[in-house]
Amino acid sequence: MATVRFDKATRQYPGNDKPSVDQLDLDIADGEFLVLVGPSGCGKSTSLRMLAGLEEVNSGRIFIDDTDVTDLSPKDRDVAMVFQNYALYPHMTVADNMGFALKIAGVDKAEIRRRVEEAAKILDLTEYLERKPKALSGGQRQRVAMGRAIVREPKVFLMDEPLSNLDAKLRVQTRTQIASLQRRLGITTVYVTHDQVEAMTMGDRVAVLKDGILQQCDTPRRMYDHPDNVFVAGFIGSPAMNLFDAKVVDGGVQFGSAVYPVDRSVLEGAGEVVTLGVRPEDMEISSGQGLPVEIDVVEELGADAYVYGHVQGTQPTEKPIIARVDGRTPPQKGEVVTFVPKGDHVHLFSLETGGRLGD
Ligand SMILES: Nc1ncnc2c1ncn2[C@@H]1O[C@H](COP(=O)(O)OP(=O)(O)O)[C@@H](O)[C@H]1O
Ligand SMILES: [Mg+2]
């Protein structure tokens, strides 16, 4: 059982002109499943490797429980890492792969066997213990890699894109298994992925990184409903949030021919134009004023349909506008439909800083 704390942890690789992870502050609770997510190159692996002790920390500190581990070697941190490529030893059996770290640590044979068999049972690997990795499917290899971490009974699990080598269907199954296994074992876990759906479905909380800088750390619900900036707004959610430049006018902001009412205090100092965000499910068809959208594609999903279009009078090649509509009566390709934002599900951001405006 352990908490983890990054305290302004920074990593700048030699020869680079800026840090790959810049003053990362994160507090991870005991037993929590925290997902680090962001586009490729944003510093996810570097953050995880700093926690594992595989990467030097140039400034700031890292704590596991109340122990400052910043300068401890990896083996003294009591963490176990699952890598993207699994890094299994090809010449060893599954059982030997799973028990290897314990053997190195000098744990006696009977105890190793006991822990390996227990982990194998949890992971449904019992019948494969004497096989070599090459005689296993991708999903089974992934579970062996998990097993190797579990047998160590570490304080913290670290996982770096552990599902990226699996096909789409297996990835969905396995993410459910990993999440439920983690909850059962109750071991604090830091999980890295570039896939926001994976992040949102697995994490107790999600931390979004961009260019080495933490953008927001929140529960999936809060992240979805209340993105702190325009980057998080566009990154979390699929299909993505519609983001428009909207002119500030008397009483609110312009949305096509309609004015979306916004409190004056919210827009104070925001300039003449703000970014207005509306999720596809919050776009409502209106018979009155609003944003006229010419429909380019209708994607029928049964209960719902997604319509993709462009603002009337602009080029269809411009950023598409996406709306989720009733699947039984979707508008047709070529039709012009007027949209307004539903209720108060509108997000406003400063055009200049990208920061969220108002609540
Ligand atoms: N050993 C290294 N030397 C120099 N730059 C590196 C090294 N490892 C990673 N980087 C750079 O640091 C940034 C973050 O990398 P990384 O943490 O691997 O990102 P992610 O895991 O989010 O894709 C990238 O710009 C990458 O090129
Ligand atoms: Mg990485």
Side-chain angles (χ1 to χ4, degrees), residues 39-46 49 84 160-161 192-194:
S40 177
C42 70
K44 304 180 294 293
S45 294
T46 303
R49 291 169 59 83
Q84 176 173 355
D160 194 349
E161 313 226 9
V192 161
T193 178
H194 65 273

Side-chain angles (χ1 to χ4, degrees), residues 14 17 21-22 34 82 96 119 124 171 185-186 211 287 329 347:
D17 56 7
V21 174
D22 199 354
L34 183 107
V82 179
D96 289 344
D124 212 4
R171 211 152 60 214
L185 298 174
D211 298 334
S287 53
T329 54
H347 309 264

